[in-house]
Amino acid sequence: MGKEQDENAGYLRIQDIPALNQSHCKMRDPERVEKIINEFVCGGPERMQFVSDFDYTITKQRTEDNLPVLSSFGIFNACKSLPTYFKEESDKLFHKYRPIEIDPHMPIEEKVQHMIEWWTQSAKLASGFAFDETEIEHTASKFKRALRDHTHELFATLLRLQIPVLVFSAGLGNSVVSVLQQANIMHPNVKVVSNFLQYRNGVLDGFQQPMIHTFNKNETVLDGSEYYELVHTRDHIIVMGDSLGDADMANGVPASSHIMKIGFLFDHVEANMEKYMNTFDIVLVDDQTMDVPRALLALVEQRHQLRHPHVTNGASAIVLPNAAL
Ligand SMILES: C[n+]1cn([C@@H]2O[C@H](COP(=O)(O)OP(=O)(O)O)[C@@H](O)[C@H]2O)c2nc(N)[nH]c(=O)c21
Ligand SMILES: [Mg+2]
């Protein structure tokens, strides 16, 4: 074997990774994807972190039985004991602010003000009445079956490799945690950053700070937190989401980081394709599985095992702070 061949022996090629050669797996720049995969594999699991959106990223965009999947706010809104005015007022807010959130013409700075208003008013609405959180658990229990296929395997691998997982949601954290717990994937390496219910004198009192809305859902809100300390040296990052804004979740990490952005595209595929291709490194069209991120991690794990054949796993070693930030 020549010297050059020898040096390239461990280099992975896209064409040799079956998950990335499926027809619904699209890449704007396969060479970049290939380069990042090789960086990930060389750096090993200790340099990696995983950041994922929750609604329609960890949960499916489409289920086999075509049953609708509720969002985290939707799970809360479905709770029977909420006051009668709640649903009505909450729908009014949704119809007012949702069009602003997705308006393609309004500048982000202007949108941010409206989003702060929306989340603030939502928090006010969720105030002043008694609420039993087991209601969320009851509704959430129906949605653990709505997780993407092989989510358990993905989270088991992340735990085995001791890779910190950040589940980021501008929705309601209580619903997110409840779904993850009931699905048995709320492992010690998983942290949920989201909006959590707050109580005062036994009654609901809005959401805890800091408020997480669509446009600050990124690593800059972690600044100075315990989680930040844990991940700031982990510069190999997999980011997964279903909305274009999810691609920014790793904003705030050092510019030298290698970030692989995976986007799940389901709605209006043709109209959205170009934007998704320009935003995500890998676009998965109507893929309701975790197979692509699993394939990437399998490559990291294989090389890691070759390097450390005697290390089994130290899965209990990583425990993330799961209180507020
Ligand atoms: C304050 N608020 C925000 N949302 C929506 O909830 C989403 C939560 O944001 P996300 O979890 O980052 O996005 P995803 O749903 O794409 O995964 C936002 O994009 C808003 O459209 C909301 N939805 C409902 N039903 N009720 C609310 O009070 C409310
Ligand atoms: Mg989502």
Side-chain angles (χ1 to χ4, degrees), residues 53 55 73 77 94 98 101 118-119 122 169-171 217 243:
D53 167 57
D55 289 319
F73 270 123
N77 292 355
F94 191 92
R98 177 67 183 162
E101 183 183 30
W118 185 8
W119 265 255
S122 232
S169 172
K217 197 177 97 166
S243 305

Side-chain angles (χ1 to χ4, degrees), residues 88-105:
E88 211 174 290
E89 294 298 316
S90 166
D91 283 352
K92 269 192 213 158
L93 292 176
F94 191 92
H95 289 120
K96 175 172 177 191
Y97 290 108
R98 177 67 183 162
I100 299 176
E101 183 183 30
I102 57 175
D103 182 340
H105 306 296

